[in-house]
Amino acid sequence: MKYDFDKLIERRNTGCVKWDECPNSDIIPMWVADMDFAVAPAIQEAVRQRAEHPIYAYTLVGNDYYDAIIRWFQRRHQWTITREHILYTIGVVPAVSCTLQALTMAGEKVVMLSPDYNCFFSSIRNSGCEVSESVLQFSHSNNRFEVDWTDFEVRCADEKTTVFLLCNPHNPTGRVWHRDELQRMSDICRRHHVRIVSDEIHCELIMPGNTFVPMAIVDADAIVLNSPSKSFNTAGLQTANIICSDPATRRRIDRAININEVCDVNPFGPVALIAAYNESEQWLDELNGYLWGNYTALCDFVAQHLLKWKVMPLEGTYLAWVDVSLCCDNVAVYCEQLIQEAKVWLNPGTMYGPQSGEGYLRINLACPRSRLLEALQRIANIKA
């Protein structure tokens, strides 16, 4: 490999949420979704060059920014985007909130597939809407989480439902939705006049044997939210995009972006995006290979030492979803025990759905393999 993902980089005392929020310095944090890897060299260099200019003022987003996005998605995913479809903002979560505010009225319902990204719950409620959870079902025959299509359609048919908020790929279950599944979602939503908003921030983190399909390829009216932040580890540079082909909807979203004053990006985000999409594809491909190695290492370790755990299949993201129902009656209590006794910080599944997430926990695999194995060994030691 050209890039070294085994290197241990000290992140404590850098104002790092993942590490500096730990209650003790001996805890291994594997909770919040960022990576313990150095970003691609081209991104480091682009940010370094921009930082050498001594003024960090209001930033103009130029043609090279839009061109990088358009070329990337055309080349990598065969998705054709035009410049006027792109609205930029400071992050995917603000993008979710602004889009919901543009599309919904207070009291309406937003359907989501639960367990689901925890910020979806707050974004929906902050928009004055009601969360409508369609709970995913685990198919033992297909060895994956699947949509309960009957329940999903009932929820979309509710006269108060106006938006379906999709996570594609899905956090936390690790599903990469197949094209036929996306088509079925689209057909149901069209039948009931429900708009689709698809958070695709994890779209480049795809494991072997899986193919990511942008929802907008299947449904041209879908609104897609994306960012290089998860795939290239640049979340702190606060840059994201909303892709919307309909001019009237796009104007409403743009208005919401301005009302919420999340319309100005910092000087480093655009240059990082350009360097990521134009110069860092090999780094990303090697990253995905390393993440798959971490996932297989997790599965191997669990099979030998944590026999009450069951690791769910990982198709995308770097977030492993693990069934620990045989270990505990309350996963939040179990995760607190892991912090106190094993000194490992994992997220309880109830963060992603109070009912649907019970009995599960989420592990961030985006760290050097030696750190992952150390954390797993600490957990195994307390269960000995």
Side-chain angles (χ1 to χ4, degrees), residues 12 138 171 187 239:
R12 292 184 181 89
F138 189 78
N171 169 20
D187 292 343
T239 301

Side-chain angles (χ1 to χ4, degrees), residues 233-246:
N233 207 28
T234 58
L237 299 183
Q238 297 187 312
T239 301
N241 298 290
I242 302 170
I243 316 298
C244 177
S245 62
D246 178 63

Side-chain angles (χ1 to χ4, degrees), residues 330-337 348 350 358:
N330 184 312
V331 72
V333 172
Y334 180 58
C335 285
E336 183 61 30
Q337 178 190 7
T350 46
E358 184 58 71

